[in-house]
Amino acid sequence: MRSIKAFIITVLSVILISCGNSGTQKTSLSIVTDAKKNVAKLGETVKLSIKNPKGLEISSVDYTLNGIAVGETFTLDDERLGVQTITATVTYADTSEDITTKLTILNNQTPKVYGYNIINTYSHDITSYTQGLEFHNGELYESTGQYGESKLRKVDYKTGEVLQNIDLADQYFGEGLTIFNNTIYQLTWQEGIGFIYDVNTFEKTGSFSYGKSKEGWGICNDGKNIYKTDGTEQIWFLNPDTLVEEGKLQAYTNKGKIVELNELEWVNGKIYANRYQKNGVAIINPKNGAIEGVIDFSPLKKLVKQHSGLDVLNGIAYNPETKTLFVTGKHWDKLFEVEVFEK
């Protein structure tokens, strides 16, 4: 009996050792860049090499940056900013092995500073914890937050009159909204779900789940693509048909990443993003994530009614009819129409 048990244990040990040794063995090869701390700016040249401590006879090395072939030496041109992946396919002794490293790409320009002029001031519902703001056919649509207080509404921005309104169920915290192909898309914060409505009737026609982005903050569209923020530096691309996340931008300056991107608006080929708790707006290049400009709207908070529930600036809407920007905040009693200019 003992001999049978010993045989079984021996067989199992062989199986376990065999399983543990299956697959490609790691060789200690690694990618080396000449970029200090693996950080480089647009316009700079990066040189790659392979660290080969065991002296393997390497026959070839092929490099890619985010899946696109690059040479051993390459210049950063119009690549997306942020943390990107370099992969080397190394061939030695009739074996190929993929190894990776990370390269952080920064912009090579300092963001421009923009000022603004107030053109008009309108009434805004002081009870609204504004999360999303967007114009459609000359009328303003707004999404608001807070559990038990979240809503979706259409308003006459000149008078403040509420033209349509629906309340979200108490378990949902409303966030940004955008209107695409006569459909309203509204985010919720930590519930991992977005709602879909008919723009004319406000009838809820569906919903969608988030992917790798765990939270919903801001959302906008350029007429072809939908963009979504999650409170980090990331801006996600949503497939306009399926609403599945199919990629992302990372918002970076020439110094580093900018986090807590919130409400979004598409304005003349750029993404405008509120920064949570900053009372300002970042102007972002939608091709590579570069923050090209900043607008400091902090003085506006002093022009609204001061009260205990007053919170930060949030809500950007571009009116194509007037070619002006509209901004407000959480529990603000005013909506400001402004024109922006470079200082």
Side-chain angles (χ1 to χ4, degrees):
M1 189 68 177
R2 289 180 180 176
S3 61
I4 294 175
K5 287 182 178 180
F7 175 77
I8 292 173
I9 291 171
T10 301
V11 170
L12 287 175
S13 298
V14 171
I15 292 173
L16 288 172
I17 292 170
S18 175
C19 290
N21 290 336
S22 64
T24 303
Q25 297 181 3
K26 294 184 178 179
T27 61
S28 76
L29 293 173
S30 60
I31 301 172
V32 177
T33 81
D34 66 346
K36 186 176 181 180
K37 295 183 178 179
N38 277 14
V39 177
K41 293 183 179 181
L42 292 181
E44 294 182 349
T45 297
V46 178
K47 185 176 182 179
L48 307 175
S49 59
I50 299 297
K51 185 176 181 180
N52 181 14
K54 294 184 177 180
L56 297 173
E57 293 188 10
I58 296 173
S59 56
S60 67
V61 181
D62 296 310
Y63 296 103
T64 62
L65 175 61
N66 291 330
I68 300 174
V70 295
E72 184 177 284
T73 301
F74 62 95
T75 300
L76 297 171
D77 184 12
D78 57 355
E79 282 77 18
R80 290 181 184 173
L81 304 185
V83 181
Q84 311 298 340
T85 301
I86 297 174
T87 301
T89 301
V90 184
T91 302
Y92 57 92
D94 297 325
T95 299
S96 289
E97 179 181 347
D98 287 343
I99 54 178
T100 63
T101 192
K102 300 295 184 182
L103 177 69
T104 300
I105 304 175
L106 304 178
N107 196 20
N108 57 356
Q109 301 289 328
T110 302
K112 296 177 181 178
V113 178
Y114 289 81
Y116 63 90
N117 291 320
I118 299 174
I119 299 174
N120 288 301
T121 303
Y122 304 100
S123 295
H124 179 254
D125 184 357
I126 199 171
T127 70
S128 289
Y129 192 81
T130 304
Q131 301 286 66
L133 213 60
E134 189 162 302
F135 276 95
H136 178 70
N137 292 338
E139 291 173 320
L140 190 62
Y141 292 74
E142 183 174 13
S143 173
T144 74
Q146 299 290 14
Y147 292 109
E149 300 177 13
S150 296
K151 52 187 175 282
L152 171 67
R153 55 175 39 175
K154 178 171 71 173
V155 300
D156 181 332
Y157 74 90
K158 292 182 178 179
T159 65
E161 178 187 0
V162 177
L163 304 176
Q164 282 178 274
N165 181 90
I166 59 170
D167 297 327
L168 274 64
D170 289 351
Q171 69 266 33
Y172 296 112
F173 191 116
E175 286 283 348
L177 92 162
T178 196
I179 301 167
F180 182 80
N181 288 341
N182 292 316
T183 300
I184 300 173
Y185 298 93
Q186 182 187 33
L187 302 177
T188 63
W189 180 27
Q190 296 181 322
E191 290 70 55
I193 189 172
F195 297 122
I196 306 171
Y197 308 87
D198 181 277
V199 72
N200 297 311
T201 65
F202 272 30
E203 175 188 1
K204 188 185 292 183
T205 58
S207 63
F208 60 98
S209 299
Y210 306 158
K212 293 181 180 179
S213 62
K214 303 302 181 184
E215 296 185 355
W217 285 46
I219 188 170
C220 72
N221 77 87
D222 62 5
K224 295 181 180 179
N225 308 289
I226 297 176
Y227 306 88
K228 173 187 176 294
T229 55
D230 59 6
T232 67
E233 75 280 8
Q234 300 175 128
I235 301 176
W236 297 86
F237 305 116
L238 304 189
N239 182 297
D241 297 318
T242 65
L243 301 176
V244 171
E245 295 170 357
E246 293 186 336
K248 66 180 180 181
L249 292 173
Q250 300 171 69
Y252 270 68
T253 67
N254 57 321
K255 299 294 185 182
K257 65 183 179 181
I258 300 298
V259 299
E260 295 186 322
L261 300 178
N262 202 358
E263 149 78 336
L264 299 180
E265 182 75 2
W266 182 266
V267 184
N268 296 327
K270 306 294 181 182
I271 297 173
Y272 282 43
N274 274 120
R275 285 200 63 204
Y276 184 57
Q277 296 288 356
K278 301 299 183 183
N279 292 303
V281 167
I283 302 174
I284 303 170
N285 184 324
K287 294 182 180 180
N288 63 6
I291 295 182
E292 298 181 340
V294 292
I295 315 168
D296 179 13
F297 283 120
S298 56
L300 292 179
K301 192 174 180 181
K302 299 177 182 178
L303 302 181
V304 301
K305 182 177 180 180
Q306 305 298 297
H307 60 98
S308 59
L310 183 65
D311 211 324
V312 296
L313 176 107
N314 199 53
I316 330 164
Y318 178 73
N319 188 345
E321 295 181 358
T322 61
K323 295 181 171 55
T324 52
L325 204 63
F326 289 69
V327 294
T328 189
K330 303 172 186 291
H331 296 316
W332 287 22
D333 69 338
K334 291 183 177 64
L335 171 72
F336 298 95
E337 180 181 5
V338 303
E339 66 176 2
V340 175
F341 59 88
E342 184 180 342
K343 288 186 175 181

